[in-house]
Amino acid sequence: MGLVGNPEKVATRSVARKARALIAAAGRDVLVDAGTAEFVGLSDARFESVRALARECDLLIVLGGDGTILHVARQAAGSGTPILGVNLGRLGFLTASSAANLGRTLDAVWSGQCHVESRPLIEAAGRGRHGPIHEVALNDFVVSHGMVPRLIELEVKVDREVLTSYRGDGLIVSSPTGSTAYSLAAGGAVVSPQADVFALTPICPHTLSNRSVIVSLSSTIEVRLLSERVDTFLAADGQTRAELRAGDWLKVRRSRNTAHLVRLPGSSFFGTLRQKLNWSGSSV
């Protein structure tokens, strides 16, 4: 069993040691990445990166919030290893368990009661200011301005056909999983993870008629920066990855890789929505 923890979370040390004890008590080997081992103080078999760890274990137990899950999902892309998220953050849309319920969650894993849910990854390839771009994301890609709040203009095509030119603070291209992240905050629709679609959501559009657009996940979305003299950046899952200048472009499409998230028996996407967003009908 692989163990990965977020060193920025106060509870990581104690929960990681608890997880290690539970795994060892079940008679299973504990593997960790070097960063987690050093931070928590574990002497178990360690790997230099999460990517290497994912290739050698049959389950990744990830301690943190949604941001930690996103990071690990990108690093584990192509390994096929399921990810069990333990929430040490706030909302925890992608996590399966709280730290308090870790013991019961692992019992459900050992007894085969959990199921694995596949979530599509998306990829962006193109040209940036400093050369070629190739990035993978689970939630979204965001093209937005830098520190100076100036409008940027982006031409967007879907399967080579011009959709529109957006003028505003930027554009979010999200996967179904990412619909409950930045896209939701920017006014986009909530999308079921089983819906094979992209959501294209403008950020503070200058034209009030611009709204979030839903297109097939099999489509290729091309985004070209038209603005000059405005600092513009590409972020993948909230992490800045490249700087763009006028004429630079990106093509976003579905990745051939998927993320595999462990889910507890009885859990559902709509149940999570009701609970996390405090919607009417929630019993929590």
Side-chain angles (χ1 to χ4, degrees):
M1 298 292 164
L3 189 60
V4 179
N6 183 346
E8 296 181 2
K9 301 293 183 183
V10 175
T12 295
R13 279 195 178 93
S14 61
V15 178
R17 288 167 181 162
K18 176 182 177 181
R20 185 203 176 283
L22 291 169
I23 296 168
R28 290 168 167 82
D29 294 331
V30 181
L31 309 176
V32 294
D33 68 291
T36 301
E38 182 176 354
F39 176 73
V40 178
L42 301 178
S43 58
D44 302 278
R46 64 177 67 186
F47 294 81
E48 287 306 310
S49 67
V50 173
R51 188 182 304 277
L53 173 63
R55 295 194 186 104
E56 298 297 329
C57 63
D58 53 9
L59 176 69
L60 277 171
I61 300 173
V62 180
L63 313 176
D66 284 345
T68 312
I69 298 288
L70 294 172
H71 170 72
V72 171
R74 292 196 304 275
Q75 293 297 309
S79 70
T81 303
I83 297 169
L84 171 63
V86 179
N87 188 27
L88 305 182
R90 296 179 181 176
L91 282 177
F93 268 105
L94 301 177
T95 55
S97 172
S98 65
N101 291 329
L102 180 57
R104 288 193 293 273
T105 298
L106 290 179
D107 285 342
V109 172
W110 309 149
S111 60
Q113 298 177 49
C114 295
H115 66 278
V116 177
E117 188 175 87
S118 294
R119 299 286 185 93
L121 295 169
I122 57 177
E123 61 183 30
R127 184 188 69 208
R129 181 169 187 173
H130 301 294
I133 295 171
H134 188 271
E135 298 291 340
V136 174
L138 175 56
N139 265 0
D140 51 39
F141 292 110
V142 178
V143 178
S144 60
H145 62 64
M147 295 296 292
V148 178
R150 297 176 61 186
L151 292 180
I152 60 174
E153 186 170 3
L154 302 168
E155 180 189 66
V156 178
K157 296 180 181 179
V158 178
D159 294 329
R160 300 185 180 181
E161 180 179 354
V162 173
L163 172 64
T164 189
S165 291
Y166 291 107
R167 295 183 71 243
D169 284 357
L171 177 70
I172 305 163
V173 180
S174 79
S175 70
T177 299
S179 75
T180 53
Y182 194 2
S183 179
L184 179 62
V190 174
V191 176
S192 167
Q194 283 71 48
D196 285 341
V197 296
F198 282 109
L200 281 61
T201 305
I203 307 169
C204 298
H206 188 262
T207 302
L208 297 181
S209 60
N210 283 152
R211 291 292 182 266
S212 186
V213 176
I214 306 298
V215 303
S216 171
L217 197 60
S218 64
S219 294
T220 297
I221 299 159
E222 184 174 352
V223 181
R224 186 178 299 273
L225 178 63
L226 303 180
S227 303
E228 298 182 3
R229 298 185 298 277
V230 181
D231 291 337
T232 306
F233 298 91
L234 168 70
D237 286 341
Q239 301 297 311
T240 300
R241 308 303 296 175
E243 185 177 356
L244 307 176
R245 60 184 176 183
D248 287 344
W249 54 273
L250 303 164
K251 288 185 178 180
V252 181
R253 54 172 59 93
R254 181 176 190 161
S255 172
R256 64 182 179 180
N257 294 318
T258 58
H260 305 281
L261 304 181
V262 175
R263 289 289 175 252
L264 296 177
S267 65
S268 73
F269 173 70
F270 298 116
T272 299
L273 277 182
R274 292 194 301 271
Q275 177 186 351
K276 302 294 184 180
L277 300 182
N278 296 315
W279 282 3
S280 175
S282 174
S283 59
V284 179

